[in-house]
Amino acid sequence: MTKRIFTFILFSIFANSLAAQVDLADYVNTLQGTNSKHELTRGNTYPTTALPFGMNTWSPQTGPNGDGWKYQYFKKTIRGFQQAHQCSSWSNDYAVFSLMPVTGRLKLNENDRQSGFTHEKETAKPYYYQVALDNGVNTEIAPTERGAHLRFTFPKKENAFLVLDGYTGLSEVKIDQKNKTITGYVQNGRGMDRFENFKNYFVIQFDKSFKAFGTWDNTTGNKRDENTNAEGKGIGAYLQFNTGETVQVKVASSYINLKQAKQNLKNELGKARKLEETKNSAKNIWNKHLSKILVEGGSEEQLKTFYSCFFRASLFTRKFYELNENGEPYYFSPYDGKIHKGYMYTDTGFWDTFRAQFPLNALLYPEMHGRYVAALLDAYDQCGWLPSWSFPSEAGSMIGNHAISLLADAWAKGIRTFDPEKALKAYYHEATEKGPWGPANGRHGFKEYYTLGYVPYPKYGEATAKTLEYAYDDFCGYNLAKMTGNKFYEDVFSRQMYNYKNVWDDEVGFMRGRRADGSWLPDFDAYEWGGPFTEGNAWHYVWSVFQDPKGLINLMGGEKKFNKKMDSVFTVPNTVHVGTYGGKIHEMTEMEMANMGQYAHGNQPIQHMIYLYNYSGQPWKAQQRSREIMSNLYSYTENGYPGDEDQGQTSSWYVLSAMGFYSVCPGTDEYVLGSPVFEKTTITLENGNKFIISAKDNSEKNIYINKANLNSAEYTKNYLTYGQIIQGGNFELEMSQEPNKSRGINELDKPFSLTKN
């Protein structure tokens, strides 16, 4: 017996030591989703080299300056290595500059200087990017939050040049040969032209002397040898080093001023003598970050897919604040062009990310999330509007007023870092006015929405989709008011949160476009995209009643008919009628490729739909469909996503679903159950507690929950609450190949819905 105990102890020590040695960051493939183009996206990502939520990212550049498709897997050449901030190819990038090594003859123009490469000679990890270019230069990048450490190893017998490209807008460069630095700024991309003083200041520090140098103009190609200072559109610089040199480069930037850029360089790269130090530090940060969710018992492919998605979910939203010499946070506001103390974040579109990305952040990083939602009200103070799509200023893209979703969701989960009355006042302003920046800055059709109970079409584009999302947002306003005892706003918003019923047509069994006179839009076609819908059709939007699934079930005639309708999403043809788009958009092609009927996971509106089975007496179907979607539509490869990744949302869907639950209705404290991918998932929470999900007998066939215990007590509900998770504990599931059709079907087991009966 003693020998057995000793052997067991040795084995346990060995197992724990082995687990400690696993580098979770090495499961990540940052090339996931990069095989994308305008006609078909497999993620629309780029091989991001960055730290979690870092202000800057770095990426190789295969596309021309100004092209939103900055890196496409099928391209054969690289023309630069960019400091980037892009969150979507469709919205392009801002505050960009790039560095490109050149050998032999100096070539400045991006088309001339580009060099061939192969993926076999490329390493793409969160903490380290490396590629051996065909021009003989080995390029390496390791990230910090506001900068990067680069190294260019030039071939021994070739002239060695480095080209700084000022990209598409205004730029300035100053070359200091004595101190081996280039300083300057860039002002390019969307949002940066809102304020004259909105610039990205940079400092670039080299460890080797310049053999020659000069400035150049990418609009004309003109260069000025030995010129140390230039400013204007497309201004850049070039340097020559000794033949065969290995050059280390430290880069940092600031939106505040050049002095702060130098402070960022000192704070983040000052002590690193070699790139390996920055690389190892970044790797440790990512390993620690990814270990917040430790998954075990899956295949190698599942581990790579999970951690690649978790990485991508951990990039947004980005820090937009900086630390002064005393370590105090402050920032240049993209909303009023002034400097403020405190925290600010940017680069996200709430239409995408309110659904899963922010509920994941609330779970894993409540301190950061608390700062984030407080900063929403700072943005309101600074520009008069709550953000809806920040990039980095308010762009107002897409539809809905989903800042209130984040605020209500945070409050429901105990993250109370803001004044709720001010938040409600800001939302009331948002919901009763139309702002100057895009359809989601304020409300299109707000007058008709209040007087008619819906947004009329064709007076307003995407009107039915807007009605549905406004009703959800009004629920969030109502719920925040109710939770905080604000009777005035509770009454105001409660009047509209059922407005989804006003665009339901019982005759066709779908949500439908409705004219201002109350009549339905004629010639209804459930397969037709656009018109009263946003990037989808009636099959996709009929489920957009996050706040009241029971009310939707009643509209459809009860659970039996509701479930039949849900089932039919996957069994009807994947027919596409292009409608008002006039031709196929990539979302249509992606739905066809998925070959799952009208289920279009590549876009956000339907991503919650499968979890609605938990509300309608058939939770086992949510378990089966969630596993099917994760298995069929996601991978860690360059073709890893079924559509646009969208600032962490599509990745966050996978991360939450792989853990076994999903946020159907942000603004409440519930995560609705699906089926976990792994045998064991350990969530290490910010408060030090651990929530452990064990799935006994889990496998590709055993996908159904036969039995569940929470902290050793039988658990029949189809959801977990935020409080249950963050207080830590054990959620033990017994998995089966056959569904348990008697579990989770009682009314008390169903998740939140406004309608109770």
Side-chain angles (χ1 to χ4, degrees):
M1 179 65 70
T2 304
K3 184 177 180 181
R4 287 182 180 179
I5 293 173
F6 180 71
T7 301
F8 176 77
I9 291 172
L10 282 179
F11 177 78
S12 298
I13 292 172
F14 174 76
N16 290 333
S17 175
L18 188 64
Q21 293 173 17
V22 172
D23 287 317
L24 299 180
D26 284 332
Y27 284 122
V28 176
N29 176 25
T30 67
L31 297 174
Q32 182 191 29
T34 59
N35 196 27
S36 299
K37 53 187 176 181
H38 185 278
E39 301 82 9
L40 175 65
T41 77
R42 307 311 300 264
N44 253 343
T45 61
Y46 55 91
T48 311
T49 312
L51 292 188
F53 311 108
M55 191 173 83
N56 301 324
T57 70
W58 281 80
S59 173
Q61 173 193 358
T62 64
N65 288 352
D67 189 352
W69 284 264
K70 67 168 64 262
Y71 180 100
Q72 293 172 296
Y73 189 85
F74 55 86
K75 292 287 184 70
K76 304 297 183 184
T77 60
I78 287 173
R79 61 186 65 211
F81 298 91
Q82 295 183 344
Q83 186 191 87
H85 310 85
Q86 184 166 293
C87 41
S88 170
S89 298
W90 307 103
S91 56
N92 215 299
D93 208 345
Y94 68 93
V96 183
F97 59 90
S98 68
L99 297 170
M100 181 64 187
V102 176
T103 58
R105 178 175 58 86
L106 176 61
K107 297 178 284 291
L108 298 170
N109 180 274
E110 58 175 322
N111 294 319
D112 297 333
R113 69 177 187 245
Q114 63 184 329
S115 173
F117 79 107
T118 64
H119 298 298
E120 289 73 24
K121 295 182 179 180
E122 184 182 38
T123 306
K125 297 298 174 185
Y127 60 90
Y128 178 65
Y129 178 85
Q130 172 275 330
V131 63
L133 297 170
D134 289 354
N135 67 12
V137 182
N138 189 56
T139 298
E140 302 167 272
I141 309 174
T144 68
E145 285 191 339
R146 298 167 186 86
H149 202 149
L150 298 90
R151 182 163 59 201
F152 302 99
T153 303
F154 289 92
K156 292 182 178 180
K157 297 181 181 181
E158 296 276 2
N159 291 328
F161 299 97
L162 191 66
V163 177
L164 167 64
D165 195 321
Y167 210 59
T168 59
L170 291 177
S171 56
E172 180 188 45
V173 296
K174 293 182 179 180
I175 302 171
D176 185 340
Q177 186 181 25
K178 179 181 177 181
N179 292 305
K180 298 178 288 199
T181 63
I182 300 178
T183 56
Y185 73 82
V186 290
Q187 185 184 49
N188 56 58
R190 296 189 181 186
M192 291 202 78
D193 57 356
R194 187 164 292 176
F195 305 107
E196 186 177 349
N197 61 331
F198 193 0
K199 298 174 180 177
N200 183 27
Y201 299 91
F202 61 80
V203 55
I204 307 175
Q205 178 71 60
F206 301 87
D207 72 338
K208 299 294 168 60
S209 299
F210 312 152
K211 183 177 179 180
F213 60 87
T215 62
W216 72 290
D217 181 337
N218 70 19
T219 65
T220 64
N222 294 334
K223 71 182 180 76
R224 298 173 63 190
D225 296 337
E226 298 187 3
N227 189 46
T228 60
N229 188 5
E231 185 176 16
K233 186 175 181 180
I235 293 297
Y238 67 88
L239 306 173
Q240 184 176 4
F241 300 95
N242 290 329
T243 301
E245 196 75 271
T246 296
V247 182
Q248 292 197 115
V249 187
K250 297 178 182 179
V251 187
S253 65
S254 167
Y255 296 110
I256 296 170
N257 53 40
L258 184 57
K259 179 182 177 182
Q260 183 59 44
K262 293 177 179 178
Q263 184 66 46
N264 292 343
L265 187 75
K266 179 182 177 181
N267 290 348
E268 299 181 8
L269 288 155
K271 296 180 180 179
R273 293 174 60 89
K274 294 185 178 181
L275 180 137
E276 280 74 17
E277 296 172 51
T278 308
K279 173 185 173 182
N280 291 337
S281 175
K283 187 174 186 177
N284 290 337
I285 289 169
W286 273 112
N287 280 334
K288 182 179 179 181
H289 180 91
L290 296 173
S291 69
K292 290 177 181 289
I293 310 176
L294 183 63
V295 295
E296 304 172 71
S299 67
E300 186 81 0
E301 181 176 351
Q302 288 170 330
L303 289 167
K304 289 180 177 179
T305 301
F306 180 85
Y307 284 110
S308 294
C309 285
F310 189 16
F311 155 75
R312 192 67 57 180
S314 303
L315 298 174
F316 304 97
T317 61
R318 294 197 180 99
K319 297 173 181 176
F320 207 73
Y321 64 88
E322 303 172 49
L323 303 175
N324 66 18
E325 56 189 4
N326 297 318
E328 300 163 333
Y330 72 136
Y331 60 91
F332 175 94
S333 170
Y335 300 105
D336 68 1
K338 298 177 182 179
I339 306 297
H340 299 270
K341 294 181 180 179
Y343 298 95
M344 181 55 67
Y345 300 81
T346 191
D347 290 355
T348 188
F350 295 157
W351 184 80
D352 301 301
T353 54
F354 85 85
R355 306 163 195 267
Q357 213 271 324
F358 283 104
L360 178 62
N361 282 359
L363 191 61
L364 297 178
Y365 330 104
E367 181 180 52
M368 181 188 75
H369 194 57
R371 292 170 177 170
Y372 185 86
V373 292
L376 293 177
L377 296 181
D378 293 333
Y380 168 73
D381 288 337
Q382 292 159 21
C383 76
W385 301 90
L386 289 170
S388 62
W389 225 116
S390 52
F391 185 64
S393 305
E394 170 58 8
S397 302
M398 301 307 294
I399 63 172
N401 310 110
H402 299 314
I404 191 62
S405 172
L406 276 65
L407 291 159
D409 192 61
W411 199 272
K413 291 167 179 171
I415 301 171
R416 298 173 177 178
T417 54
F418 60 92
D419 178 354
E421 185 170 3
K422 183 177 180 180
L424 289 164
K425 180 181 178 182
Y427 175 61
Y428 180 78
H429 169 69
E430 192 82 10
T432 57
E433 300 285 347
K434 178 65 197 77
W437 306 305
N441 178 223
R443 272 189 180 168
H444 270 157
F446 69 90
K447 292 180 181 178
E448 292 86 350
Y449 175 75
Y450 286 106
T451 57
L452 299 176
Y454 61 92
V455 181
Y457 185 84
K459 185 174 182 180
Y460 299 96
E462 308 170 304
T464 302
K466 288 173 180 173
T467 300
L468 294 169
E469 300 207 18
Y470 293 170
Y472 162 70
D473 290 334
D474 285 344
F475 158 74
C476 291
Y478 155 82
N479 208 32
L480 179 59
K482 184 178 180 181
M483 289 185 290
T484 56
N486 193 317
K487 297 297 184 183
F488 173 77
Y489 284 117
E490 182 180 347
D491 181 57
V492 167
F493 297 124
S494 67
R495 301 170 195 169
Q496 288 78 235
M497 61 188 180
Y498 294 100
N499 273 358
Y500 70 89
K501 296 180 180 181
N502 297 327
V503 290
W504 166 263
D505 182 3
D506 196 53
E507 184 176 336
V508 299
F510 285 96
M511 305 297 176
R512 186 173 181 180
R514 196 169 186 181
R515 291 168 166 164
D517 64 4
S519 63
W520 296 110
L521 196 69
D523 303 320
F524 177 77
D525 179 357
Y527 298 93
E528 182 176 328
W529 287 56
F533 301 110
T534 302
E535 296 178 0
N537 63 27
W539 278 106
H540 309 146
Y541 275 93
V542 69
W543 316 107
S544 292
V545 187
F546 316 98
Q547 73 278 19
D548 197 18
K550 178 61 176 175
L552 181 61
I553 291 168
N554 291 346
L555 284 181
M556 290 190 182
E559 291 185 353
K560 184 176 181 180
K561 290 184 178 179
F562 180 84
N563 288 326
K564 184 178 180 181
K565 188 86 164 186
M566 291 267 284
D567 293 344
S568 66
V569 169
F570 298 95
T571 58
V572 297
N574 59 353
T575 300
V576 166
H577 295 159
V578 299
T580 55
Y581 285 102
K584 275 193 178 181
I585 60 174
H586 70 93
E587 288 90 350
M588 300 173 186
T589 304
E590 289 145 15
M591 188 191 77
E592 289 177 320
M593 288 181 60
N595 199 26
M596 298 178 74
Q598 288 293 311
Y599 184 74
H601 190 83
N603 210 16
Q604 279 66 41
I606 206 169
Q607 287 182 352
H608 70 292
M609 166 249 175
I610 57 169
Y611 287 94
L612 297 182
Y613 283 115
N614 285 286
Y615 300 74
S616 58
Q618 295 186 338
W620 60 90
K621 288 184 178 178
Q623 297 157 27
Q624 185 269 322
R625 289 297 184 186
S626 64
R627 291 287 285 269
E628 178 186 18
I629 291 162
M630 285 186 280
S631 177
N632 292 349
L633 301 185
Y634 285 83
S635 77
Y636 65 90
T637 71
E638 65 274 11
N639 297 316
Y641 294 99
D644 285 344
E645 198 283 323
D646 285 328
Q647 312 103 54
Q649 163 60 27
T650 305
S651 291
S652 296
W653 186 97
Y654 185 92
V655 172
L656 289 171
S657 296
M659 290 193 289
F661 46 76
Y662 185 71
S663 49
V664 170
C665 186
T668 70
D669 67 346
E670 294 179 0
Y671 294 84
V672 179
L673 295 186
S675 174
V677 169
F678 300 95
E679 292 179 15
K680 185 178 181 182
T681 300
T682 303
I683 307 171
T684 300
L685 299 148
E686 202 169 72
N687 59 13
N689 295 336
K690 293 182 185 294
F691 189 78
I692 301 171
I693 303 163
S694 302
K696 182 183 177 183
D697 297 326
N698 200 1
S699 69
E700 291 184 6
K701 293 183 178 180
N702 294 351
I703 60 175
Y704 297 103
I705 299 173
N706 184 51
K707 184 179 179 182
N709 288 333
L710 180 61
N711 298 325
S712 301
E714 185 178 6
Y715 193 79
T716 60
K717 297 185 185 300
N718 294 331
Y719 62 90
L720 293 165
T721 67
Y722 182 84
Q724 287 171 329
I725 296 172
I726 65 166
Q727 73 182 10
N730 293 285
F731 189 44
E732 298 170 331
L733 306 176
E734 180 185 286
M735 307 302 290
S736 170
Q737 189 171 344
E738 298 296 328
N740 181 348
K741 296 185 178 181
S742 63
R743 186 196 170 277
I745 60 174
N746 296 323
E747 287 302 313
L748 292 177
D749 294 328
K750 296 174 182 178
F752 170 84
S753 182
L754 278 171
T755 300
K756 304 302 180 185
N757 299 307

